[in-house]
């Protein structure tokens, strides 16, 4: 089988294209984020109006990544309510999920996870509207997966 250089370049570029996991804070307060796989990242404080991101990646031991978000400094270590924005790469797809642990830290605040035109997770009141433990969707791994705190737009 023969490939043109342009076709081969496009194939390599599409295989290498990978999106980011983004946390965008449109709430009025600072929020605290940790990326957790087989290791826990350093805490990141995201002030109101700011965002944080990491390239979507696999963890060799756990597979998926849980981005843990609290409204309290050092919240994952002191039992504070946690919002979990998780993702897992699967070829050209990314599976993403929204859940809570030990309460709902953003109750009363609009939460949304978007991945372009792919399925959106929408919690208008900051709690799971279906009452389920979590919601799982799949989208395009070459696009950013954006978790919005306090806004309904990406």
């Amino acid at each position: 089988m023969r490939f043109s250089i342009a076709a081969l370049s496009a194939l390599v570029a599409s295989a290498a294209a990978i999106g980011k996991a983004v946390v965008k804070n449109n709430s009025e307060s600072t929020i605290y984020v940790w990326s957790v796989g087989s290791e826990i990242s350093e805490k990141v404080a995201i002030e109101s109006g700011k965002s944080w991101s990491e390239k979507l990646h696999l963890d060799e031991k756990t597979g998926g990544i849980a981005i843990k978000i609290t409204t309290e400094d050092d919240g994952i270590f002191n039992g504070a309510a946690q919002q979990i924005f998780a993702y897992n790469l699967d070829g050209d797809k990314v599976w993403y999920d929204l859940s809570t642990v030990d309460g709902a830290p953003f109750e009363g605040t609009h939460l949304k996870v978007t991945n372009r035109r792919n399925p959106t997770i929408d919690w208008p009141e900051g709690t799971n509207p279906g009452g389920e433990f979590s919601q799982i969707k799949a989208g395009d791994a070459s696009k950013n997966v954006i978790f919005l705190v306090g806004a309904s737009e990406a």
Side-chain angles (χ1 to χ4, degrees), residues 79-122:
Q82 299 174 30
Q83 188 71 51
I84 312 297
F85 161 41
Y87 68 86
N88 194 337
L89 288 175
D90 182 16
D92 63 350
K93 286 186 179 178
V94 59
W95 294 87
Y96 46 98
D97 173 70
L98 198 57
S99 62
T100 57
V101 174
D102 296 329
F106 298 110
E107 189 168 357
T109 302
H110 192 170
L111 305 177
K112 189 181 265 192
V113 181
T114 66
N115 177 249
R116 289 283 248 181
R117 293 181 203 102
N118 296 296
T120 295
I121 300 171
D122 192 8

